[in-house]
């Protein structure tokens, strides 16, 4: 089998074919996939009925996987698997049912935010022959690169707070997130550079999201709020985005430094959507 990298035609995203992820990959094959990932920022594989074990084995090649602390995060058997789903069993949601209501990057409120997320579609809702629940991705490296020089200068050295609480309040404060936040040792907020240098490809990335970014350190409140809104809007301009239309058995991986994402809730509660996510832990952020 030959691995092929097929860019989506959007600023970010590429489909990878010719790699059987149910089998261990050679170092050469993995190196090709890894390079494509850091080049295209979002990659996806289609039509592979992976098991949880396959997903864990493959995504762990990118780095150490995060293990979840709480049993309520519904990993069933594997602490590496975070369940994203609207399915309710015996009156209890089996996973996070409101993930991605707002544009965000995963784990932004952690001192060491996630480096990579990988989401695998087990069940995808559909209507009239089209699958629903698309995920939107935006390239924060492309959004930064397109800023005028004067803005790049203005952003130099700025730090911003990424707040779990803001996210919770803005999304209505429900679900598993609320449970996590209520625990005494929950991670609540982290301060990160507003412009991050990507640890692998060196690209400068805007680290500002509608969901998590709550204030810019040292700026008056009004100015901080306006700048956050302006930069968050810059990131999600259509020219910097790719919309993933899911099919069952897709595995989509995204870079949590150089992209942000949001979900679409355009399907009824009665239509089951089931995703399993693994995340690669990140290091300290740099500017
Ligand atoms: C996530 C997430 C969005 C979606 O899993 O981190 O934000 O469309 N998911 O499921
Ligand atoms: Mn997410």
């Amino acid at each position: 089998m030959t691995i092929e990298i097929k860019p989506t035609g959007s600023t970010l995203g590429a489909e990878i074919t010719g790699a059987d992820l149910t089998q261990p990959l050679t170092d050469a094959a993995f190196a090709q996939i890894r390079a494509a990932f850091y080049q295209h920022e979002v990659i996806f594989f289609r039509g592979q009925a992976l098991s949880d074990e396959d997903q864990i084995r493959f995504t762990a090649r990118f780095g150490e996987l995060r293990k979840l602390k709480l049993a309520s995060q519904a990993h069933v058997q594997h602490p590496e698997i975070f369940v994203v789903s609207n399915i309710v069993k015996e009156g209890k949601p089996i996973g996070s049912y409101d993930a991605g209501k707002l544009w965000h990057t995963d784990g932004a409120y952690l001192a060491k935010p996630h480096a990579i997320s990988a989401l695998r579609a087990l069940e995808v809702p559909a209507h009239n022959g089209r699958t629903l629940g698309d995920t939107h991705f935006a390239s924060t490296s492309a959004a930064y690169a397109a800023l005028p020089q004067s803005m790049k200068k203005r952003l130099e050295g700025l730090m911003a707070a990424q707040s779990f609480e803001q996210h919770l309040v803005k999304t209505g404060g429900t679900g598993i997130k609320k449970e996590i936040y209520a625990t005494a040792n929950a991670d609540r907020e982290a301060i990160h550079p507003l412009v991050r240098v990507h640890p692998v490809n060196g690209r400068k990335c805007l680290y500002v999201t509608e969901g998590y970014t709550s204030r810019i350190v040292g700026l008056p409140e009004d100015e901080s709020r306006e700048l956050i809104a302006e930069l968050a809007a810059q990131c999600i301009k259509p020219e910097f985005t790719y919309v993933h239309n899911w099919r069952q058995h897709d595995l989509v991986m995204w870079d949590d430094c150089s992209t942000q994402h949001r979900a679409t809730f355009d399907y009824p509660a009665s239509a089951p959507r089931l995703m399993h996510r693994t995340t690669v832990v990140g290091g300290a952020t740099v500017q």
Side-chain angles (χ1 to χ4, degrees), residues 20-90:
D20 179 357
L21 304 186
T22 66
Q23 301 301 317
L25 294 168
T26 62
D27 287 346
F30 179 69
Q32 218 181 327
I33 293 169
R34 184 178 182 277
F37 176 75
Y38 289 115
Q39 168 69 26
H40 297 286
E41 306 180 332
V42 171
I43 57 169
F44 56 94
F45 305 83
R46 300 204 116 139
Q48 304 201 31
L50 303 182
S51 63
D52 286 340
E53 289 79 6
D54 292 332
Q55 179 175 353
I56 289 168
R57 185 189 58 249
F58 172 63
T59 56
R61 286 193 78 164
F62 287 81
E64 184 197 340
L65 296 185
R66 181 175 196 220
K67 291 203 169 93
L68 303 168
K69 290 183 215 158
L70 283 187
S72 64
Q73 279 169 283
H75 44 71
V76 201
Q77 281 166 0
H78 303 283
E80 295 92 346
I81 300 265
F82 179 79
V83 178
V84 175
S85 184
N86 64 345
I87 298 172
V88 177
K89 270 200 187 132
E90 289 157 14

Side-chain angles (χ1 to χ4, degrees), residues 104 106 254 261 277:
H104 68 286
D106 298 332
W254 60 87
H261 59 281
R277 192 185 79 181

Side-chain angles (χ1 to χ4, degrees), residues 39-284:
Q39 168 69 26
H40 297 286
E41 306 180 332
V42 171
I43 57 169
F44 56 94
F45 305 83
R46 300 204 116 139
Q48 304 201 31
L50 303 182
S51 63
D52 286 340
E53 289 79 6
D54 292 332
Q55 179 175 353
I56 289 168
R57 185 189 58 249
F58 172 63
T59 56
R61 286 193 78 164
F62 287 81
E64 184 197 340
L65 296 185
R66 181 175 196 220
K67 291 203 169 93
L68 303 168
K69 290 183 215 158
L70 283 187
S72 64
Q73 279 169 283
H75 44 71
V76 201
Q77 281 166 0
H78 303 283
E80 295 92 346
I81 300 265
F82 179 79
V83 178
V84 175
S85 184
N86 64 345
I87 298 172
V88 177
K89 270 200 187 132
E90 289 157 14
K92 252 188 93 96
I94 65 163
S96 174
Y97 55 82
D98 58 0
K101 263 193 187 168
L102 303 172
W103 284 99
H104 68 286
T105 86
D106 298 332
Y109 53 90
L110 302 169
K112 295 178 177 178
H114 306 331
I116 299 171
S117 302
L119 197 62
R120 174 174 130 248
L122 288 85
E123 287 185 69
V124 182
H127 184 68
N128 286 341
R130 189 191 187 277
T131 52
L132 302 174
D134 292 355
T135 306
H136 294 239
F137 294 94
S139 170
T140 58
S141 63
Y144 175 82
L147 287 174
Q149 205 50 45
S150 55
M151 179 58 97
K152 289 181 178 166
K153 199 90 203 130
R154 183 175 168 203
L155 300 183
E156 263 175 31
L158 290 182
M159 306 289 286
Q162 309 288 341
S163 160
F164 196 123
E165 184 173 1
Q166 163 171 300
H167 192 268
L168 199 64
V169 170
K170 277 192 169 185
T171 54
T174 54
I176 281 171
K177 298 259 167 63
K178 191 175 181 185
E179 244 177 86
I180 299 168
Y181 194 70
T183 61
N185 63 351
D187 299 292
R188 287 152 204 278
E189 182 184 281
I191 307 286
H192 292 295
L194 202 62
V195 177
R196 285 180 62 184
V197 173
H198 193 285
V200 177
N201 61 28
R203 291 177 191 163
K204 286 190 171 180
C205 309
L206 276 177
Y207 202 59
V208 182
T209 64
E210 176 194 17
Y212 286 118
T213 314
S214 57
R215 68 193 152 84
I216 300 174
V217 178
L219 291 195
E221 209 180 306
D222 285 4
E223 192 184 338
S224 167
R225 193 171 349 108
E226 280 163 29
L227 187 53
I228 289 169
E230 183 181 346
L231 296 173
Q234 165 75 6
C235 289
I236 61 167
K237 284 182 178 165
E239 62 264 39
F240 307 131
T241 66
Y242 161 68
V243 183
H244 189 77
N245 179 235
W246 290 91
R247 293 182 208 156
Q248 191 190 23
H249 301 321
D250 281 358
L251 177 74
V252 179
M253 300 183 68
W254 60 87
D255 191 307
D256 278 306
C257 176
S258 64
T259 71
Q260 47 183 267
H261 59 281
R262 76 166 171 87
T264 316
F265 294 92
D266 59 352
Y267 50 92
S270 56
R273 185 175 189 266
L274 177 60
M275 308 282 196
H276 282 187
R277 192 185 79 181
T278 49
T279 48
V280 174
V281 301

